[in-house]
Amino acid sequence: MIITRDKYMNFLNEFKDNEAIKVITGIRRSGKTFLMNMFIDHLKEEGIDESQIIYINFEDMAFNTIKNEIDLYNYVHTHENKTKKNYLFFDEIQNVNNWEKAINSFRIDMDADIYITGSNSHLLSGEMATLLAGRYVELTIYPLSFKEYYDFKKGAPQTAYKLFTEYLVDGGFPAVDIAPSDNLKTALKHGIFDSVVLRDIALRANTRDDKAIVAIIEYLMGEIGSPISATNISNTLRSNGFKTTTATVISYLNLLQQSYLFYAAKKYDIRGKKMLSTLGKYYVADTGLRNTRLNKNYRDNIGHQIENVVYIELLRRGYTVDVGDYSGKEIDFIARKGEEVEYYQVTEHLPENDTRETDNLRYIPDGYKKVVLSLSQFDAGKVDGIDVQYLIDWLLEE
């Protein structure tokens, strides 16, 4: 069974043979390696000879002798096709010390199309940002969207709601979704969690005690969609016997974001047109990972779970997303893409005789698009001029 990732493949095809380095990022097991291999197969189908392709997965023991930029440089030049264009693929390249120096050299001294993947946003900081500024394009890979999940499951309109509840529990990690049993799905999600925590967070935090990190993760998973304070997290951890400080919590929160396990949504003052220093919110990369780790079902805190799904979907569609505040009224999301601005409220259903979900949008005095997304298909329509859409239909648009 193959899950095609057409949107991502289209991106790679668009930038194929472009001098820009293609940087593919995203949480572990979201499909970066699969996408890279799928694109290599595509190149071969187009007539690119295997001798023109160099593929290295740095988590494969076969390449564990490549430790630094010199090792990488020598390996590639030993295996390059000296008469034709080379296609270089480096998977989880952050495992090589000073890798960016070798990549910059390949860009200069070879006729090469370069693709790299990494599971940490730190990949795009520091010296790489300096060496390769303006010379790379980033493609962020997310776990499967609901539409990808729906298409893979061969969904139909009459099964859409049931599949959505399964999606909240299964999540969108491709390896999980093709697993033949619930027990295997659970085991795989636990494995993904452990891999992210141990390889991408605890290792970079330079600590052998990952219990505090796990406690912070579980706190955030339990509070998705709620305002979060590092001080409150620190106080909660200390009350549970952890020796930690607010500064340490802040550093761990940064690592959780760099690993793509969590995304932070800042609060934006719509009237004052400025970011607020008040509490922001955190959303997890995948609700399935959250529900498995906390041993929850799809009904647990479902309002915030669907809010989480919408937040990640907006990111997937290319928007920058903040939480809004208009004169004390909270707007779930302000989504921006260039000059485009959209406002979203997300709800399980519109409450009877209560217009707060639409009122929060109705009084914003600008002409930008305003939408309420409801998990109840019976809410769809117009309320006081505000468009109310069935959440599942909205998710299946793309």
Side-chain angles (χ1 to χ4, degrees), residues 24 67 93 135 229 276-277 286 309 361 381:
I24 305 169
K67 304 291 188 184
I93 200 169
R135 299 187 178 95
S229 157
L276 298 173
S277 58
D286 184 75
V309 169
L361 297 176

Side-chain angles (χ1 to χ4, degrees), residues 155-391:
Q158 63 269 26
T159 62
Y161 184 89
K162 180 177 183 297
L163 284 174
F164 181 71
T165 61
E166 292 174 3
Y167 174 73
L168 291 179
V169 176
D170 288 348
F173 288 98
V176 173
D177 293 328
I178 65 175
S181 71
D182 289 341
N183 286 340
L184 183 54
K185 289 179 180 181
T186 298
L188 287 170
K189 282 182 280 187
H190 282 306
I192 292 168
F193 180 88
D194 291 343
S195 178
V196 171
V197 171
L198 296 176
R199 294 190 190 183
D200 295 323
I201 301 171
L203 193 63
R204 293 202 60 239
N206 196 25
T207 178
R208 293 183 179 179
D209 182 12
D210 56 15
K211 292 182 181 178
I213 295 173
V214 171
I216 293 172
I217 291 171
E218 291 180 345
Y219 180 95
L220 294 179
M221 285 180 167
E223 297 293 327
I224 54 172
S226 298
I228 295 294
S229 157
T231 300
N232 287 345
I233 296 175
S234 179
N235 291 339
T236 299
L237 262 60
R238 282 198 296 270
S239 69
N240 289 322
F242 291 95
K243 295 180 180 179
T244 190
T245 65
T246 298
T248 299
V249 169
I250 290 172
S251 70
Y252 287 167
L253 289 174
N254 287 334
L255 290 174
L256 295 180
Q257 293 173 73
Q258 289 172 12
S259 71
Y260 301 101
L261 181 58
F262 285 94
Y263 294 85
K266 297 179 180 179
K267 182 165 282 193
Y268 182 79
D269 179 0
I270 297 171
R271 184 186 288 274
K273 297 183 179 180
K274 63 182 179 180
M275 287 295 179
L276 298 173
S277 58
T278 50
L279 310 181
K281 297 182 178 183
Y282 283 82
Y283 296 96
V284 69
D286 184 75
T287 58
L289 209 59
R290 179 256 185 196
N291 288 327
T292 295
R293 183 66 197 181
L294 300 184
N295 195 28
K296 301 292 187 181
N297 60 38
Y298 80 90
R299 290 297 314 174
D300 175 73
N301 202 2
I302 190 170
H304 282 165
Q305 284 198 67
I306 62 176
E307 189 178 312
N308 198 119
V309 169
V310 170
Y311 177 82
I312 298 296
E313 180 62 25
L314 286 168
L315 293 183
R316 185 183 287 110
R317 295 183 185 185
Y319 291 92
T320 298
V321 189
D322 300 306
V323 175
D325 180 276
Y326 183 74
S327 299
K329 294 181 183 295
E330 183 173 282
I331 311 303
D332 285 337
F333 299 125
I334 307 172
R336 299 182 181 87
K337 187 192 297 184
E339 297 298 314
E340 181 182 353
V341 179
E342 298 178 355
Y343 299 108
Y344 289 93
Q345 290 290 97
V346 185
T347 183
E348 183 181 3
H349 57 80
L350 292 179
E352 290 186 26
N353 303 317
D354 188 335
T355 59
R356 64 180 180 273
E357 296 291 353
T358 50
D359 283 351
N360 285 10
L361 297 176
R362 187 157 58 98
Y363 294 114
I364 301 174
D366 61 40
Y368 294 125
K369 182 178 178 180
K370 303 173 179 70
V371 179
V372 174
L373 298 174
S374 172
L375 189 53
S376 171
Q377 60 183 317
F378 302 108
D379 289 337
K382 292 276 187 181
V383 177
D384 293 328
I386 300 297
D387 190 22
V388 181
Q389 295 183 24
Y390 182 34
L391 171 61

